[in-house]
Amino acid sequence: VVGASYDDDGGGDSGSAYVYERDGSGNWTEAAKLVASDAAGNDNFGYSVSVSGGVAVRPSTMGLPRYSFTAANTRPQCPIR
């Protein structure tokens, strides 16, 4: 998982994170782009990301909510408060 906190899809610097996986030849390919369901400018989603097993988490930073994603569902499970 690679964070792109200055991505502008949901407004200036709303941010995103990219998930990559290795294919059968050993090459890394983009598997998913993660964005916050409530993306807004200056959220900087993706500023910090963490992975454990099959779950990617965008930890809470700058007072914003946390989000979790699973390999089966690239939409946020919910803001984790």
Side-chain angles (χ1 to χ4, degrees), residues 1 6 20 23 29 31-33 36-38 48 50-51 53 67 74 78-79:
V1 176
Y6 297 112
Y20 291 87
D23 65 19
T29 58
K33 180 177 181 177
S37 56
D38 58 351
S48 175
S50 184
V51 177
Y67 295 87
T74 57
C78 64

Side-chain angles (χ1 to χ4, degrees), residues 1-4 16-21 28 32 34 46 48-51 55-57:
V1 176
V2 177
S16 63
Y18 294 87
V19 177
Y20 291 87
E21 61 187 9
W28 290 98
L34 309 177
S48 175
V49 294
S50 184
V51 177
V55 178
V57 176

Side-chain angles (χ1 to χ4, degrees), residues 40-51:
N42 298 312
D43 279 352
N44 296 109
F45 183 92
Y47 175 81
S48 175
V49 294
S50 184
V51 177

Side-chain angles (χ1 to χ4, degrees), residues 8 17 22 27 32 36 38 51 63 70:
D8 296 331
R22 198 177 299 238
N27 299 310
D38 58 351
V51 177
T70 64

